[in-house]
Amino acid sequence: MRSAYRVQVSLRISIWSRGDRRHPALTSGIRLGTPAVTSMGMRETEMVQIAAFIDSVCRQPDDQEVHASVRRDAADFCTAFDVPGIPDR
């Protein structure tokens, strides 16, 4: 979990976690905000790409070049989608 925390700080994202002390049947870990991305028009295909972004940084939590690359790629990826309530962002 410490690696996930370092990644979250590096990428400037928020991860809420209960840790791993709960029974496996209970939700814990990283929760992705799918309502936010679906309201932008993203669907399953885009969620696969978002998971790939997360996977890249989780596999290399200390590689700042990977983090910078993912930040750029994610920003470029998001330009194809509108944010409800924010015209012409």
Side-chain angles (χ1 to χ4, degrees):
M1 198 53 99
R2 289 181 185 164
S3 294
Y5 178 76
R6 285 195 314 269
V7 167
Q8 137 185 0
V9 170
S10 175
L11 295 178
R12 300 178 194 103
I13 60 173
S14 177
I15 298 174
W16 178 76
S17 173
R18 291 184 185 166
D20 294 325
R21 294 180 292 276
R22 301 187 69 122
H23 187 276
L26 298 173
T27 304
S28 66
I30 297 172
R31 179 178 176 181
L32 301 177
T34 55
V37 297
T38 58
S39 67
M40 294 172 67
M42 296 183 193
R43 298 292 182 256
E44 292 86 359
T45 302
E46 290 80 20
M47 288 302 295
V48 170
Q49 180 58 55
I50 292 168
F53 291 146
I54 294 167
D55 183 57
S56 293
V57 294
C58 286
R59 289 181 183 273
Q60 300 180 68
D62 299 316
D63 190 330
Q64 296 305 309
E65 289 182 27
V66 169
H67 297 191
S69 175
V70 169
R71 274 194 300 272
R72 284 189 305 272
D73 292 347
D76 289 344
F77 172 78
C78 288
T79 61
F81 301 92
D82 293 325
V83 179
I86 302 178
D88 302 324
R89 54 178 180 121

